[in-house]
Every structure is written in structure tokens, then in C-alpha cells.
Amino acid sequence: MTQGIFNIPFLAVAALIGIGLYIIVFDRNLIKLVIGITVLQAGVNLFLVSLGYRQHGGVPIYTNACHSNMVLPVPQALTLTSIVIGVAITAFMLSMIMIIYRHTGHIDAKKSRKLKG
Amino acid sequence: MMETPSGFWGPVPWIISTVVAVVIACLIRTLGEKEHKSGVQGQEFLMGNPRLPEEKSHIRAHNIYWGFFQGLRRYYEHATNMHTGIINDYIIWFLSLLAIMLMIVFVVEVI
Amino acid sequence: MSSLLIHSPILIIAIPLLAAFLTPFISRVSDRARDALVIATLVFVEFLVIILAVDIYRDGPHIYALGASSPLLAMPEHYMVPVRIVLQVDAMSIFMGMISATVSLAAAIYSVSFMRNETGKDKFYTLLLLLTVGMMGLEFTGDMFNLFIFLEILSISGAALAAFRTNFADALEGGFKYMCISAVAALMILFAVGIFYAQYNLLNIAALGQAIQYTMLDKIALTLLMMAFFMKLAGVPLHMWAPDTYSVAPAGITPMIYVASQACMYALFRVCFSLYGVTLNTLTIGWIVIVIGVLSMFVGVTMAVRQSDIKRLMAYHAVSQSGYMLLGVGVGLAVLGNPQALAAYGKQAMEGGIFHIINNAMYKGLLFLTAEALFYSLGTRDLNKMGGIAANMRYTSIFFMIGALAISGIPPFNGFASKLLIYESVYQFNPMLSVIAMMISIITLASFVKVFQSAFTGPILPHFRVVKEVPGPMLGGMGILTAIIIFFSLFPGLIVDQLIHPAVEALISRGAYINAIMGGMQ
């Protein structure tokens, strides 16, 4: 049972990735598509952080360290980097959608397309 | 020279042999009739139709290989319809291929 | 000189990165100074790549540990694993690096005059240099997470460049699609990196290669990585973004985005050969790569014949030609576990595939540039509206003809040399694949005959009588690529022996790649 409780973050990861992919696949609204990508990013980031967790782990700072057991610091560094990249991507995609809307008057993936075939 | 599994490829011998072949072809050509084709012989003949103005006689891109596309009409209908241009569909392709690959990778291990 | 050589792996990445953020400031002073800075940076990068390449081909791979007391010290003392970010440059990486540096340089020279009348050029050159950084980093890195970072740099700058001409609605759409698929693919890669870290507590590719077990989780990670890279390199049926994005990007950028896709193909090969190597089921994975390659060849070329937008046509050809590379290297991967077959034809198939990468980067780049030269002069990309422009654009027609003959595999051009290697070696693996590859080559020629006939030959259309040849720097950019194509055509043996063979050896010999980092432990 104590083991089972540590799987909850991974269930959350699966749920977030599932929701993210569902939005990306089924929603033709471009802004919602970006939201889907953000949710997907959140899922992957949560995955990275939660796999670095150790049971009863403390903060991985050596000054005033009171725990012998620490959580892994590397996944946290990875997550931080990934969050920064994610923000950049989100902002960039939203600004692109803005100009797409200006040109075509639609933010629907089907109505705003010009390239196919 | 570049070694290939069953021989070699060198552009220089190829170029030399091509040049030799062209020279021989030109020599044979000089043996032919030298008289200039004049009169009716030199005129174009378009099934008795009048000659088109220059800009209309150019064959545009969409007329080229018409028969090829007509023969493969059903393939092209499918292929163009698949390329919908909707970004969501691109992701659907990605996810379905991902699922198929996962199945292949795991099933092959079992067999 | 020797310290320059030791530090060159990081300098190749750091100098364009620094220059990228310097360009907006220089741009305030003068446009000419900025153009000169960009060209000078790329020339210097090319110079560094070449001296590094000479050294690597002579003395073996370079490693560069960031933040270590000595950059050559990959493994810190008292540590069992490399904890630092390591750049690992072997013959294959530097081979791809040379392609990227050369194409970036040609693209920048071409862009100087192509972009003359556009606004926002300071940002344009920043992004161009960042795209170079992304490609170089992706090719040089020895670290899985770093690979993700550089992939993102490459994707963001590539998408921004593709959408650069915001006055066209389709440019935005192409850029948005590229960004969207890149974001999803990169997240899959990050997930795979997480899986690796969860199992082995490692991020270094060489260290992971030593530890990897091919467990169930590794299989999932492999599938995620492979599909993400297939998406990025536009393998059918994940190719659909490619024609949309390539056809709308500004001229010089299309070859660069294409080379960026090739960099992703390099990452795929690195993962398959160096990270997993013989631990994976080589026959299955090899056949997956081959099947996607054959599909790419077939669908790419048949769709290309039909297009009437000249850049879209070229973009479909880019998809089709990637198939040849996947076919060649896929055959090598399929026989990786079988030393006899590998020696008999596997290595040569891989040589063909990898030779095709550099050939294709050059002539495909040239064709993209000529297509955009037509757009620049005529103001349309529609083949149905073109006709008889060979009379007014002589040099462009000659460049186009050389590129078209090379891509169709007509001797004596370099495309023929690499395709011959692929045909002959793949024939020994499976004759049917070789027959398909030859048939695709014929359709390729047919589609370029269509372009040549409809755009260049025939009587000149009245409203194109005033059309002039494109300006000098644009011809210069095309000229560089043409010169390289002719050089490769004349000396295929030299190129294969000196450049391709070491690269293939570096890709196959997984032990050497791992030992370069982990060697200190044994």
C-alpha cells in the first residue's frame, strides 16, 4: 500500500498526457491546440519530477542538510529547462495564431488552411 | 574511381567514352545529305490546322503527363485526400504510427 | 593553434550563438556591417569545422566536457559515470557538421540579396544563426537531454524563419505546422529521456549505451525516439508538414530547414547505432526504417509529379530523397547483427545512404535556391504560369539543369554515384527494393523534365519579356553549391574513401563511441 501511493503521480502523468493528446487530436481550434500542447508539456514535466522523487527525500541542498536521503536534483534541473522552453514555444505559437487570425479571420485549423494536397 | 559491390564507377572514363561516342555520331552525321531543306519541306505541318501564336503554343505544366495521372486517378484521389492540411490530422498520423510501431516492437519479441 | 583545435567543438556552437544576439545591435549601426558579421561568423565556423574535421579524420574522435578543469576529461575523478555535459564529435558528427556549415554559409550569402527589400532583417539573421547553432549542437552533442535542447532551438528558429514573411498567410500556416509537430515530437523525446533517466540515472549517450539492457521500457523509449525523429525528418506517412513548410519558407531558409531535418536523421541513426546498437532487434528495426524509407520514396515522388507549385514539387522531392538515405542505412541496420552480411553489402549500403545525405544536401539546396530565384524574378511559384524563361535567366537555367540531372541520378553527376552504391548493395539484400528505388529515380527524372519543359523551354511568354537574371550574390550562393556538386561528381571515389567510409565506421563501431567516454574506467 505504501508503494501504491507513490504511483499516484504517474497516474496523473498518464492522465495529463492523455488529456493533452486528446485536445491536440480532436480540437480544431488553434488556441485550444496550443493549450493541449501545454497540458502535454505539464504531463512530461510532472513525469520528470516525480521519477526523481525518493521516499522520505529531502531538498537536495547541502547547506543545513538534515536528511540522509535526498530527492534527485538532476530531473528538477531538466524540468526547469523544459518549462522555460515550453513557455517560449507557447508564446511563439500564440503569436503566430494571432497573425493567422489577422490574415484569414479564422482560428479553426480547417477553415484557416491554405496548403493541402 | 569508386568501388561498388560488383564493379566500379569512375566519371572520367564515362565522360571520355561519351565524348568519343558523340564525335563518332557527328562524323556519321556529316556523311548525310547536306542540302538545305527549303520550300514545303522546311515548313511545320500541324494536321492542316493554322499555326498558333507563340504564347499559345507553349504546353503548360498541367497538361504534361495527363495520361499518367488519368491512369493512376484513384491512387491520386486517395493520396491528395489523405493530405488534408489540418494540423490535427498530422498528429493523428503520428499517434497511430506510434501505436503500430509499439505493437510491432512488442509482438516481434514474442514470436 | 592546438588550443583552438581542442576548444573548437564548443566554439562552433558558441560563436554563432554569440553572434546571433550581437546582430540586432550591429544592425542599429549599419546593415552592411551586420551582413559582414553574419558572413564572417559563418566563414569562421566553416573554417573551424574543417580544421576539426581534418584532425578527426586523422586522429580519431574529439570529446569536450563542459565545465571540467580540462575539457578532455569526460569522467571526473572518483566518479563512475560522466556527470558533465559532454560534446562528442566523431567522424559521422563532423561529416554532418560540414554539411550544415556549408549549407548555412551558402544560404546566408544568398539571403543577403534575397532579403534586401524585406524588413526585420536583424531578427532574420539572429534566427538564421540560431538555426545553425541548433544543427551543430544536435550533431555534436553526446548527451540525451542536450539533444532535446538543441532540437528545440532548431525547431523554434526553423519555425520562426519559415513563417518569417508574415505578409503571406500561407507562410504563417507552414511555420505553425512545423512548430506544432516539432513541439509534440520534442516532448516525446523528453519523455524517452525521462525513461532512460528513471532506469539508469544517466543522460550521457555513451554511458547509456554501455548500460542499456533493451528492457520493455527501453523498447517504449526507442519507439518514441524513432517516431519523433521520423516526424522531424519527414518520413512518410509523417511527411505532411514538409511540403507545407518547405514551400513557404524564404529562399535561403528552405535548404537550411531541409538540412535541419537531415540533422534529425543523424540523431535517429545515432540513437539506433550508438545508443542501442546490437542490443536491439536489428532485423525488425532495420525493416521498419527500410519500409518507411521505401514509402517515403514512393509517395514523395508520385505526389511531386502532380504538383504545380514549383517549391512544393521540390519539397516532395526532398521527402522522396530522404527515403533513399533511410533505405541505404536501414539495410545496414538490418544486417548489423550479422558480420558477414555487414561486410559483404551492409557497409556499402550505408556508405551509399550517407553519401546520398551530402549529395542531396547540395543539389536539393541548389534546386530550392533556383526555385526561389524563379519566384524572385517572376513573382509566381505556379508552373502553369511559367514558360520560356531560359532565354532571360541563363545562369539559373544552367544551375537548375545541373541540379535536376544530379537528383535524377544521371551519370556523371554525384547523385548517380550514391544511387549506384545503394542499388547494388540493396540488390544483394532484397532485389525488389532495388527495383523500386530505380523506378523512383525514373519518376524523379520525369518530374524534372516536366518542370524544365514547362518553365524554362518553349517560346517566352509576353509578360516575362522584361524578366532579368537574379542579382550577383544569389548567383554566388547557387554557384558555391554547383561547384561542390561538380567536385563531388568528378571525385566520388575520393569522397567515399576519405569522408564517407570513416563516417560509416564511426556509426557502426559502437564500442569505440562508448570507449571514448567510458574508456577511463576499464
Side-chain angles (χ1 to χ4, degrees):
Chain A
M1 193 59 216
T2 46
Q3 208 57 40
I5 204 152
F6 290 105
N7 284 334
I8 289 176
F10 293 103
L11 293 179
V13 167
L16 280 174
I17 290 180
I19 293 168
L21 288 177
Y22 182 88
I23 301 172
I24 294 173
V25 166
F26 290 107
D27 214 311
R28 294 233 164 107
N29 186 325
L30 292 180
I31 289 181
K32 288 185 185 166
L33 190 123
V34 175
I35 293 175
I37 289 178
T38 318
V39 174
L40 190 62
Q41 274 164 1
V44 176
N45 289 341
L46 183 62
F47 175 66
L48 283 177
V49 172
S50 50
L51 65 85
Y53 183 70
R54 292 290 177 269
Q55 218 165 342
H56 308 298
V59 186
I61 300 171
Y62 275 97
T63 356
N64 305 330
C66 53
H67 290 276
S68 57
N69 209 359
M70 287 178 181
V71 300
L72 297 186
V74 175
Q76 298 184 357
L78 304 189
T79 311
L80 206 57
T81 319
S82 150
I83 288 171
V84 171
I85 292 174
V87 170
I89 288 177
T90 311
F92 177 46
M93 287 175 91
L94 287 174
S95 61
M96 276 167 130
I97 293 169
M98 204 176 73
I99 308 177
I100 288 178
Y101 181 72
R102 247 181 235 163
H103 275 293
T104 62
H106 291 286
I107 47 168
D108 186 296
K110 193 172 185 179
K111 287 176 191 151
S112 67
R113 75 185 155 161
K114 289 195 162 18
L115 304 159
K116 61 171 183 168
Chain B
M1 285 306 158
M2 186 185 79
E3 298 284 327
T4 63
S6 52
F8 69 93
W9 157 248
V12 178
W14 189 89
I15 291 171
I16 291 170
S17 50
T18 313
V19 167
V20 169
V22 168
V23 166
I24 292 172
C26 288
L27 284 177
I28 294 172
R29 192 173 185 278
T30 53
L31 298 177
E33 291 288 331
K34 289 193 183 58
E35 284 165 37
H36 177 62
K37 294 185 174 172
S38 55
V40 181
Q41 235 185 348
Q43 281 175 8
E44 58 211 70
F45 178 72
L46 285 167
M47 310 285 284
N49 294 326
R51 192 164 179 265
L52 289 167
E54 262 202 343
E55 55 268 26
K56 282 194 180 165
S57 69
H58 181 56
I59 299 166
R60 301 300 180 102
H62 60 270
N63 295 322
I64 301 174
Y65 304 137
W66 178 84
F68 181 79
F69 298 131
Q70 196 64 18
L72 294 174
R73 198 172 61 245
R74 290 183 55 194
Y75 164 75
Y76 276 109
E77 268 171 20
H78 279 289
T80 19
N81 285 345
M82 259 197 270
H83 195 129
T84 48
I86 301 171
I87 183 69
N88 307 75
D89 294 356
Y90 298 3
I91 309 283
I92 292 177
W93 277 105
F94 175 72
L95 291 178
S96 36
L97 197 66
L98 187 66
I100 294 169
M101 286 303 147
L102 276 174
M103 267 188 264
I104 291 175
V105 168
F106 282 104
V107 167
V108 164
E109 204 66 14
V110 173
I111 295 168
Chain C
M1 188 65 191
S2 73
S3 86
L4 184 68
L5 193 63
I6 287 171
H7 292 284
S8 55
I10 188 66
L11 285 180
I12 290 169
I13 297 169
I15 287 176
L17 189 64
L18 192 70
F21 293 107
L22 212 60
T23 43
F25 296 108
I26 306 283
S27 211
R28 303 244 156 189
V29 182
S30 102
D31 274 12
R32 273 179 171 279
R34 184 214 39 230
D35 293 351
L37 173 79
V38 172
I39 303 283
T41 310
L42 287 171
V43 167
F44 188 58
V45 167
E46 176 87 43
F47 165 74
L48 282 179
V49 168
I50 285 171
I51 61 165
L52 186 61
V54 169
D55 194 65
I56 284 173
Y57 281 119
R58 205 178 48 218
D59 296 336
H62 269 234
I63 54 169
Y64 192 92
L66 296 171
S69 55
S70 155
L72 302 178
L73 199 68
M75 193 89 69
E77 283 175 47
H78 318 300
Y79 274 90
M80 299 298 286
V81 291
V83 291
R84 293 199 168 91
I85 293 171
V86 177
L87 300 178
Q88 188 169 4
V89 191
D90 65 2
M92 182 69 200
S93 326
I94 196 70
F95 172 75
M96 296 301 297
M98 279 192 282
I99 298 174
S100 308
T102 311
V103 173
S104 305
L105 181 62
I109 292 174
Y110 186 92
S111 298
V112 166
S113 64
F114 183 78
M115 301 299 287
R116 185 153 287 155
N117 302 323
E118 307 269 346
T119 54
K121 276 181 289 186
D122 46 347
K123 287 134 200 144
F124 177 83
Y125 287 108
T126 307
L127 289 167
L128 193 147
L129 288 170
L130 278 178
L131 186 53
T132 314
V133 171
M135 289 194 278
M136 288 297 177
L138 191 63
E139 285 151 3
F140 286 1
T141 187
D143 185 282
M144 279 314 282
F145 188 71
N146 227 11
L147 192 140
F148 162 77
I149 301 283
F150 283 116
L151 192 76
E152 288 282 23
I153 294 179
L154 181 154
S155 310
I156 296 175
S157 50
L161 282 171
F164 189 77
R165 290 185 284 191
T166 46
N167 47 337
F168 300 120
D170 53 357
L172 259 301
E173 191 187 338
F176 183 79
K177 282 175 181 169
Y178 185 61
M179 192 64 247
C180 215
I181 63 104
S182 302
V184 174
L187 285 174
M188 295 300 151
I189 291 168
L190 187 60
F191 196 81
V193 172
I195 292 176
F196 286 140
Y197 195 82
Q199 287 189 90
Y200 306 111
N201 283 336
L202 289 170
L203 288 173
N204 189 289
I205 296 179
L208 270 173
Q210 197 182 41
I212 213 152
Q213 303 290 329
Y214 203 47
T215 57
M216 196 184 84
L217 283 173
D218 285 339
K219 281 179 201 163
I220 295 174
L222 174 70
T223 319
L224 286 172
L225 283 172
M226 272 178 62
M227 284 308 116
F229 288 131
F230 275 130
M231 187 91 168
K232 288 287 293 173
L233 68 83
V236 170
L238 309 176
H239 68 291
M240 291 167 177
W241 63 270
D244 296 356
T245 304
Y246 290 161
S247 59
V248 297
I253 299 310
T254 320
M256 281 187 77
I257 297 181
Y258 181 57
V259 172
S261 304
Q262 313 267 298
C264 296
M265 186 184 283
Y266 158 82
L268 172 74
F269 296 159
R270 184 55 85 201
V271 164
C272 286
F273 283 94
S274 299
L275 181 58
Y276 283 89
V278 283
T279 61
L280 54 72
N281 189 337
T282 50
L283 199 61
T284 318
I285 305 295
W287 268 103
I288 289 175
V289 175
I290 291 170
V291 166
I292 291 190
V294 171
L295 270 177
S296 302
M297 288 197 297
F298 183 77
V299 175
V301 84
T302 46
M303 292 299 285
V305 189
R306 194 164 167 79
Q307 300 304 317
S308 59
D309 179 331
I310 183 164
K311 274 197 91 181
R312 211 171 162 80
L313 185 142
M314 305 266 184
Y316 270 113
H317 276 298
V319 173
S320 158
Q321 297 297 312
S322 305
Y324 280 95
M325 304 158 201
L326 290 176
L327 173 64
V329 180
V331 167
L333 185 60
V335 297
L336 190 63
N338 179 351
Q340 280 151 354
L342 189 65
Y345 55 84
K347 273 185 195 174
Q348 254 146 346
M350 286 178 67
E351 275 172 17
I354 286 167
F355 192 20
H356 207 68
I357 296 181
I358 192 163
N359 286 341
N360 208 43
M362 298 308 150
Y363 56 63
K364 196 76 236 176
L366 176 65
L367 285 171
F368 275 131
L369 294 186
T370 51
E372 199 72 19
L374 293 184
F375 181 55
Y376 183 87
S377 295
L378 308 181
T380 176
R381 292 202 303 253
D382 194 349
L383 280 173
N384 291 326
K385 293 181 186 148
M386 295 185 188
I389 43 191
N392 286 355
M393 297 176 72
R394 284 214 189 87
Y395 294 108
T396 310
S397 345
I398 291 170
F399 290 145
F400 176 82
M401 229 157 94
I402 289 173
L405 290 175
I407 199 175
S408 325
I410 301 294
F413 287 102
N414 55 356
F416 174 73
S418 52
K419 283 186 180 176
L420 184 72
L421 266 178
I422 295 175
Y423 298 153
E424 286 198 0
S425 46
V426 170
Y427 185 81
Q428 297 183 30
F429 179 72
N430 188 332
M432 204 53 216
L433 295 176
S434 189
V435 173
I436 295 172
M438 278 186 220
M439 196 190 75
I440 303 297
S441 211
I442 294 167
I443 308 180
T444 309
L445 181 62
S447 80
F448 277 100
V449 169
K450 169 181 164 176
V451 177
F452 194 70
Q453 144 75 26
S454 59
F456 288 95
T457 64
I460 185 154
L461 298 182
H463 49 287
F464 291 148
R465 289 244 164 77
V466 290
V467 164
K468 283 204 192 72
E469 184 62 278
V470 291
M474 284 170 80
L475 288 177
M478 293 192 267
I480 292 176
L481 294 176
T482 313
I484 295 173
I485 291 171
I486 289 174
F487 178 76
F488 282 6
S489 306
L490 289 180
F491 307 102
L494 186 76
I495 305 292
V496 169
D497 288 344
Q498 300 298 320
L499 292 182
I500 317 292
H501 190 71
V504 169
E505 287 295 332
L507 208 51
I508 291 176
S509 51
R510 181 163 166 260
Y513 188 84
I514 293 171
N515 266 340
I517 298 284
M518 307 298 287
M521 270 178 65
Q522 276 91 32

